[in-house]
Amino acid sequence: MERIGSTTLNRLVLNNNQRTLQRLGQLELQLASGKRIAKPSDDPVGVRQSLRLRSVSRALDDYQANIDKSLGFKNMADATLGQATSLLQQMKAAAIQGGNDTLDASARRALGASVDAALRQMLDLANTQFDGRYIFSGEATRTKPFELDETTGMVTYRGSLQDFEVQVNPISTSPVSENGYDIFQQPQDVFATLVQLRDALNDDDEQLVRDLIGDLDTAHEQVSQAYGSLGGVGQRLELMENQLADLKITIDESVSQIEDVDLAKVITEFNATEVALKAGLDAGARVLQPSLLDYLQ
Amino acid sequence: MADTLLIGLSALQAHQQAMQVTSHNIANVATPGYSRQRSTLDTPVPENGRPGQIGRGVNVATIARLTDSLLTEQLRLSSTETGRLDQTTTSLNALQSVFNEPSDAGLAASFNKVFSAFHALANNPDSPGLRAGTVEELKTFTAIFNSMAGQIASLRDDIGTQFRLEADQINGLTAQVAQLNKEIRRQVAVGSNPNDLLDQRERLINELSNHLDLKVRIDPVTQAAQIESSGRVLVDATGSVEVFAGSSLDGLALQFADTRETLRVNGGRVGAMLTLYGETLPDVQETLDSMAQAIAYEFNAAHATGTNADREVQRYLGQTVIDAANLTVDLDAAAQAKLDGAIAGIPAAYLPRFTDADGVSQARNLTINMVDEATGVATKYIVRYEPGPGPIPTTRSLRNLIDAINTGTGGGFSVWPSGAGIPNLTASAVAVDGGVRLDLLAAPGHHLDFSRSLDTRPTAETWNAASWTAGAASMDLKGRLTGDDATGPSRPWSMQVLSSGTVGDPSSPPTVAFTWWAANEPVSRTTTVTLGTGFEPGRPVVIGDGVHAIFGSGTLTAGDALTLVVDGQPDQARLLSALGVNTVFAGGDAGSLAVADAIQDDPGRLAVAHTRTAGDNSNLLEIIALREKALFNDNMNIDEYMNTMISDIGSRVDLASRLRDNQQVIEQTLLNRRDHVAGVNLDEEIASLIQSQQAYTAAARIITSVQENIRTLLDLIR
């Protein structure tokens, strides 16, 4: 049989009381802050995950902003190329009309004037700006891409052959601007064709006008293909944006799961601990009090 | 009769003493470390008489101290462990709060913001507001690094201060124990039981054990305590030895005051402090430093070879200050690693790399573009390092570099194409406080950069001299080499005129052949172009991989040949970042990390582009890509490294507090077990008190009985 010292009982009651109070304090902090993790030692593995997820989430914001910007450009380019395509369609009609035997020189000159107007309009379209930047100038978004030399009738591409890109996910970039050279001058030079058409009309050269119809066809085909593929790019970007939005929701939820308290769980545990505290105090009081002195006269 | 009286008297005395011992126990029921005492009654030697031996009463034979020496030792060891864990937990908690994670104000959050700023800037590279904003984020980021490094350093200092206090406390305790030792020995020598003194000494030894790990031996005969540490006696029967808070190569050291010999302390508060000061905190500091260095190094390398369409820089002053005596020292990192210490001013992590992974010196290029402001045409010069054929590589010091730029050759450096150095550029070592800085100054009307931009017009020198026809059509190179970075020495691209003609003339177009290298490919490719319709002067002629040429009007003659300078990686040895030229970060560790002076003074100088074209954001994209690059241990990027550091500290704190909580439970258990033997039970003592009291009353009765007997006797005589 082992003796029990008087201090042993005291110590037991006090220590257990302290432990319960400490747990109660922890739970109270969680309830007040709403956070399960207040510092890394609360859950080192969880902290690592949540830090990583937080930075991914932040990066997703950046990618989304980049895609938005990209989409703005694409939509502008879309509208512009649509107009350019129909303009070339009109010019082809003008060429067919101009190649007609029945026209006389002055009629052809009138057509020539309209082609000249179309040429300038095409130039304007190719030099479209969005948000202060040229969309068909590749990387050189501050440089006007197409310059017409009136004397030679040559249009020179001054922009860059590289695309202006932005980062849309951790490993890849996406082009924002278009390479105007590849759309308007390569392999078929749209401007040169229009200039040739205008000059042929003004010179009353109906054979040349008829010959140019083929070139106009090619030009129209070229621009309309670029127009078509833009639509695909735009769709892909929108798809990417939706994926990113979904991913962000998932990630933010994961972060919350790791870091935030499960209120129901914590409140239940808090109540249980409170009951334990009271029971412990009650039992302690009953154990500590009686002694032989109570029973002596 | 007298004998009976004496028996009664002895009983009175004995039971009075027994009551005194019991009262002492009751009084000390709550005294920590108290061992209960028990008086043992015994009968004295009986008297020889008739009919046989007659007893002579009672006396208190001994007052024993009830204790368990094994438990005492275990409690003492527990005290040492508790001391160690307490100190460790407190300091690690303080360390953890330095990092302030997870939060929106910590290092990780600031790092995120830096990259958000870069993204926003990449969308709008020319915006002065965004450039300024990005620089502000960078400044905040470096400030957080500085603050953390400072806090860790001051935590370390605090431990140093506490350590000195520890030594003082240890000395106080050992002196007291020595005092008690003497007193106890004296008492034991005369045969008395110095129970309370023994309790007091046990308490002091426990407290001493909290500070450091000790070996304690109590002599069973003399009861003197001998305390040893590191095989040397700290306290014994004759006295105590003092300790001193000293220092050693690794950090703090507890030393004997007289011999300055270091104690080997492995536990207790002092043991914890030694580990924290010498290992834990320096480890964390080093991790923080290597993170800062890696970030600075990579950002600087990307930034130095970038440029900017809005700023025409005429002068680059390197931020790194190098000791003037080191001007002629080999700059290579591998070579420096074999010598003691890095070149002062250039942290080892930033030194340029002229050798490959096997330690073999390689050829390395540095590109400098000189732009003539009048014509807008740039000329590309390559400062080329060749290690030479022999086993000892040619020299590559800062002095060599400066000489090469100015005169054309210097050590293993030479300048291509011009053999007389780079025209319109002067390199020098400018004397400043503490050493020299590299200064690159362009002549008036010129500016320079180090980018891979190709807005260059090959000059007369690069045409095959014998065949260059005066008045030939000019050729400009445009764009930049895309695809993989060319990490090897740049390969010569060239152009040959195959048949003569006039540029853009459909009736007699010239034919040219370009020989070019896709980066890292072992064989070259050839592109042949006939410059007829569609290739009028001013039209781009695509060569390959992002490079195109634009011809001016004029003629080209068959046999003309031209060497083109196209580079993928303008600074193969990372010389620019080592010397602090066109860098974005300055400083060699977490405490000194800062944004480079030139960028702070003018945020517009952020190198956003790879070419001198307005709107180019490609260098920003390269910097953004650094986030995913595996910079540590070949497989961790910056985020992962940072997270690992933070969660490691969290794990350590968690472990330490769990161990400490466990130790507290162990200690409580030991104390309870000690109470079984040595603890006072009030009920027991009260019962004993009542027993003694009754015995005393009965003994008093003996005296009164004897008194009555004597009176009866006296009455007989009257």
Side-chain angles (χ1 to χ4, degrees):
Chain A
M1 187 206 69
E2 273 189 334
R3 327 178 31 253
I4 307 286
S6 297
T7 45
T8 303
L9 286 175
N10 271 334
R11 197 180 299 127
L12 277 174
V13 169
L14 281 176
N15 284 339
N16 291 332
N17 192 35
Q18 279 299 308
R19 260 205 289 281
T20 315
L21 275 177
Q22 200 182 32
R23 183 70 189 134
L24 213 55
Q26 273 176 354
L27 291 170
E28 199 275 327
L29 182 61
Q30 284 186 1
L31 278 177
S33 65
K35 290 261 173 242
R36 191 174 65 87
I37 303 182
K39 45 194 196 313
S41 55
D42 290 340
D43 183 1
V45 173
V47 152
R48 195 169 171 158
Q49 282 178 328
S50 97
L51 282 177
R52 187 176 61 81
L53 289 174
R54 269 166 179 250
S55 68
V56 170
S57 173
R58 188 70 192 238
L60 286 179
D61 285 337
D62 297 332
Y63 300 140
Q64 271 187 322
N66 289 345
I67 291 180
D68 276 343
K69 178 79 170 233
S70 200
L71 274 174
F73 271 73
K74 294 299 181 203
N75 291 336
M76 191 70 185
D78 197 67
T80 310
L81 284 183
Q83 289 182 325
T85 313
S86 57
L87 192 58
L88 281 172
Q89 189 76 357
Q90 290 169 9
M91 286 303 101
K92 194 169 123 185
I96 292 173
Q97 196 186 0
N100 199 326
D101 286 329
T102 57
L103 252 54
D104 68 347
S106 65
R108 288 212 179 86
R109 264 199 298 279
L111 276 176
S114 79
V115 170
D116 188 68
L119 171 70
R120 296 194 194 270
Q121 197 187 349
M122 187 66 82
L123 258 179
D124 280 344
L125 286 175
N127 286 334
T128 305
Q129 284 186 314
F130 176 73
D131 197 23
R133 302 151 166 283
Y134 293 98
I135 60 178
F136 292 112
S137 199
E139 203 172 59
T141 53
R142 297 277 187 219
T143 314
K144 191 157 146 198
F146 293 102
E147 217 46 87
L148 171 67
D149 183 339
E150 296 289 359
T151 46
T152 62
M154 231 182 57
V155 170
T156 325
Y157 180 68
R158 294 240 142 86
S160 165
L161 295 184
Q162 309 269 28
D163 291 325
F164 180 76
E165 297 184 327
V166 288
Q167 194 96 18
V168 291
N169 67 42
I171 48 171
S172 59
T173 53
S174 167
V176 174
S177 65
E178 308 298 323
N179 182 343
Y181 189 65
D182 281 342
I183 297 176
F184 291 105
Q185 293 200 294
Q186 183 86 325
Q188 178 71 27
D189 189 337
V190 169
F191 300 109
T193 312
L194 286 177
V195 167
Q196 284 177 315
L197 179 61
R198 173 195 69 182
D199 293 343
L201 285 170
N202 286 340
D203 291 342
D204 205 24
D205 184 345
E206 64 180 70
Q207 182 56 41
L208 181 55
V209 172
R210 276 200 289 273
D211 288 337
L212 282 171
I213 292 175
D215 283 347
L216 277 169
D217 237 346
T218 317
H220 175 255
E221 198 50 47
Q222 184 175 297
V223 174
S224 125
Q225 254 187 6
Y227 176 46
S229 65
L230 249 190
V233 169
Q235 268 183 354
R236 273 200 302 279
L237 280 176
E238 276 176 2
L239 191 65
M240 226 188 288
E241 202 175 30
N242 291 338
Q243 281 178 337
L244 283 183
D246 285 341
L247 186 59
K248 187 163 162 83
I249 291 177
T250 312
I251 287 182
D252 285 346
E253 261 175 24
S254 298
V255 171
S256 172
Q257 259 182 6
I258 295 174
E259 285 187 9
D260 296 340
V261 284
D262 179 345
L263 263 184
K265 190 160 159 242
V266 171
I267 290 179
T268 313
E269 197 184 336
F270 187 88
N271 287 338
T273 314
E274 210 188 342
V275 167
L277 178 70
K278 289 189 187 152
L281 287 171
D282 188 28
R286 287 200 235 183
V287 155
L288 287 176
Q289 280 174 9
S291 88
L292 193 54
L293 288 167
D294 299 336
Y295 296 96
L296 292 173
Q297 263 103 5
Chain B
M1 208 74 72
D3 297 332
T4 318
L5 206 56
L6 285 173
I7 290 174
L9 198 57
S10 77
L12 281 179
Q13 280 177 332
H15 290 295
Q16 194 175 12
Q17 256 189 342
M19 277 174 73
Q20 198 175 355
V21 171
T22 308
S23 309
H24 188 59
N25 281 346
I26 293 175
N28 281 297
V29 66
T31 308
Y34 177 77
S35 307
R36 69 188 171 118
Q37 296 172 15
R38 188 165 62 190
S39 49
T40 312
L41 299 171
D42 196 8
T43 55
V45 175
E47 203 183 304
N48 284 325
R50 284 182 356 120
Q53 287 187 327
I54 301 182
R56 291 205 287 143
V58 68
N59 59 18
V60 175
T62 53
I63 303 176
R65 175 172 170 258
L66 297 176
T67 184
D68 182 333
S69 56
L70 184 60
L71 278 174
T72 307
E73 176 67 4
Q74 283 180 312
L75 273 167
R76 195 187 64 75
L77 291 172
S78 169
S79 171
T80 306
E81 188 63 2
T82 304
R84 184 180 77 84
L85 291 170
D86 272 343
Q87 180 65 49
T88 308
T89 313
T90 311
S91 296
L92 284 182
N93 262 322
L95 180 62
Q96 187 177 238
S97 41
V98 165
F99 289 96
N100 192 17
E101 294 287 1
S103 81
D104 290 325
L107 194 61
S110 174
F111 195 58
N112 283 336
K113 287 200 194 126
V114 164
F115 275 91
S116 291
F118 273 113
H119 273 288
L121 189 59
N123 276 336
N124 225 332
D126 330 314
S127 157
L130 286 178
R131 286 189 192 177
T134 306
V135 170
E136 284 306 309
E137 288 298 340
L138 287 169
K139 277 158 71 169
T140 309
F141 184 61
T142 57
I144 295 181
F145 258 109
N146 299 150
S147 156
M148 281 188 188
Q151 284 179 52
I152 295 176
S154 77
L155 269 180
R156 202 159 177 254
D157 286 341
D158 282 347
I159 291 182
T161 311
Q162 269 183 296
F163 185 65
R164 282 191 282 282
L165 290 174
E166 287 289 307
D168 289 340
Q169 283 180 331
I170 290 174
N171 287 341
L173 287 169
T174 51
Q176 286 178 38
V177 171
Q179 190 81 358
L180 281 172
N181 256 354
K182 290 204 190 98
E183 195 51 43
I184 288 171
R185 221 174 58 149
R186 206 175 303 145
Q187 292 298 320
V188 169
V190 302
S192 82
N193 294 337
N195 293 330
D196 290 331
L197 293 178
L198 288 170
D199 277 347
Q200 203 180 350
R201 187 180 66 181
E202 190 179 301
R203 265 196 304 280
L204 286 173
I205 293 181
N206 253 10
E207 207 185 308
L208 189 63
S209 298
N210 192 274
H211 291 279
L212 74 167
D213 53 327
L214 300 163
K215 232 165 58 176
V216 174
R217 203 182 81 89
I218 307 219
D219 186 299
V221 171
T222 64
Q223 296 297 318
Q226 183 167 305
I227 305 179
E228 280 178 16
S229 166
S230 310
R232 190 170 155 192
V233 169
L234 208 53
V235 178
D236 68 0
T238 55
S240 68
V241 174
E242 286 212 332
V243 294
F244 172 74
S247 55
S248 76
L249 276 172
D250 299 324
L252 303 171
L254 193 63
Q255 296 166 336
F256 287 108
D258 46 7
T259 63
R260 292 297 154 104
E261 183 198 331
T262 307
L263 285 88
R264 285 185 303 280
V265 179
N266 294 324
R269 289 189 165 270
V270 170
M273 282 182 198
L274 291 177
T275 310
L276 285 163
Y277 193 91
E279 276 173 36
T280 316
L281 288 177
D283 277 349
V284 172
Q285 188 74 288
E286 205 181 292
T287 307
L288 202 62
D289 282 343
S290 40
M291 190 163 41
Q293 279 171 1
I295 291 174
Y297 183 65
E298 293 292 332
F299 271 65
N300 281 347
H303 191 269
T305 55
T307 183
N308 186 325
D310 301 303
R311 293 286 185 277
E312 294 171 344
V313 180
Q314 217 189 350
R315 179 183 193 200
Y316 283 99
L317 189 57
Q319 180 123 19
T320 312
V321 177
I322 297 172
D323 201 297
N326 287 326
L327 263 179
T328 48
V329 167
D330 189 335
L331 281 172
D332 174 59
Q336 284 305 314
K338 295 190 198 117
L339 305 173
D340 264 333
I343 299 180
I346 307 184
Y350 299 167
L351 283 171
R353 317 270 159 86
F354 287 92
T355 55
D356 63 9
D358 300 321
V360 179
S361 289
Q362 301 289 324
R364 293 277 184 253
N365 292 346
L366 172 65
T367 299
I368 301 183
N369 300 320
M370 299 299 303
V371 182
D372 182 335
E373 277 159 28
T375 61
V377 170
T379 314
K380 214 179 253 290
Y381 295 96
I382 310 257
V383 177
R384 202 174 259 168
Y385 172 76
E386 290 289 341
I392 302 178
T394 49
T395 55
R396 47 210 170 196
S397 68
L398 186 53
R399 171 55 57 199
N400 292 148
L401 180 64
I402 292 173
D403 288 342
I405 291 175
N406 291 336
T407 66
T409 45
F413 290 109
S414 60
V415 173
W416 186 93
S418 159
I422 299 180
N424 297 311
L425 181 65
T426 314
S428 59
V430 169
V432 293
D433 230 358
V436 296
R437 290 160 79 169
L438 176 63
D439 186 18
L440 295 169
L441 179 61
H446 290 82
H447 61 267
L448 73 155
D449 70 25
F450 311 95
S451 69
R452 66 199 69 189
S453 181
L454 277 179
D455 295 312
T456 55
R457 175 172 300 170
T459 62
E461 292 158 311
T462 53
W463 286 89
N464 192 331
S467 67
W468 185 62
T469 317
S474 68
M475 192 200 76
D476 289 331
L477 274 181
K478 296 250 173 224
R480 65 170 187 280
L481 186 64
T482 56
D484 297 333
D485 253 348
T487 48
S490 60
R491 335 289 189 96
W493 289 34
S494 61
M495 182 192 77
Q496 268 221 321
V497 182
L498 298 178
S499 65
S500 314
T502 309
V503 176
D505 187 344
S507 52
S508 67
T511 312
V512 296
F514 291 99
T515 305
W516 58 287
W517 298 77
N520 290 329
E521 275 192 12
V523 292
S524 62
R525 301 195 204 166
T526 310
T527 304
T528 311
V529 188
T530 305
L531 300 172
T533 316
F535 290 103
E536 291 84 0
R539 290 288 166 127
V541 178
V542 174
I543 305 173
D545 266 358
V547 181
H548 65 269
I550 294 183
F551 285 90
S553 48
T555 55
L556 292 170
T557 316
D560 285 352
L562 177 59
T563 309
L564 312 175
V565 184
V566 170
D567 49 7
Q569 170 54 274
D571 183 10
Q572 286 169 346
R574 308 262 176 122
L575 266 171
L576 295 172
S577 35
L579 297 167
V581 173
N582 200 20
T583 46
V584 62
F585 283 116
D589 57 22
S592 58
L593 190 69
V595 177
D597 289 342
I599 304 285
Q600 284 203 42
D601 292 338
D602 181 11
R605 260 176 73 159
L606 266 181
V608 300
H610 279 153
T611 63
R612 287 179 291 273
T613 316
D616 181 350
N617 70 349
S618 40
N619 207 29
L620 288 173
L621 293 179
E622 189 179 322
I623 290 178
I624 287 174
L626 288 173
R627 189 154 195 197
E628 299 300 323
K629 196 169 164 197
L631 301 177
F632 301 95
N633 302 338
D634 288 335
N635 62 359
M636 274 203 268
N637 62 29
I638 298 173
D639 280 310
E640 282 161 6
Y641 193 67
M642 209 183 293
N643 291 349
T644 306
M645 179 180 71
I646 291 170
S647 75
D648 270 354
I649 292 175
S651 298
R652 282 203 223 207
V653 173
D654 191 33
L655 180 66
S657 18
R658 275 177 209 273
L659 285 176
R660 187 192 49 181
D661 289 344
N662 277 355
Q663 194 61 39
Q664 276 174 348
V665 172
I666 291 174
E667 191 161 297
Q668 300 302 314
T669 313
L670 286 172
L671 284 171
N672 289 347
R673 279 174 51 198
R674 185 179 183 274
D675 275 352
H676 290 324
V677 175
V680 170
N681 183 315
L682 282 175
D683 295 339
E684 195 182 40
E685 299 301 321
I686 289 167
S688 172
L689 198 61
I690 293 171
Q691 189 183 12
S692 297
Q693 203 178 3
Q694 285 177 340
Y696 188 86
T697 314
R701 193 77 184 88
I702 298 177
I703 308 261
T704 39
S705 298
V706 170
Q707 193 187 23
E708 278 193 28
N709 284 358
I710 293 180
R711 198 175 291 136
T712 310
L713 214 55
L714 285 177
D715 278 347
L716 282 179
I717 299 177
R718 218 171 309 168

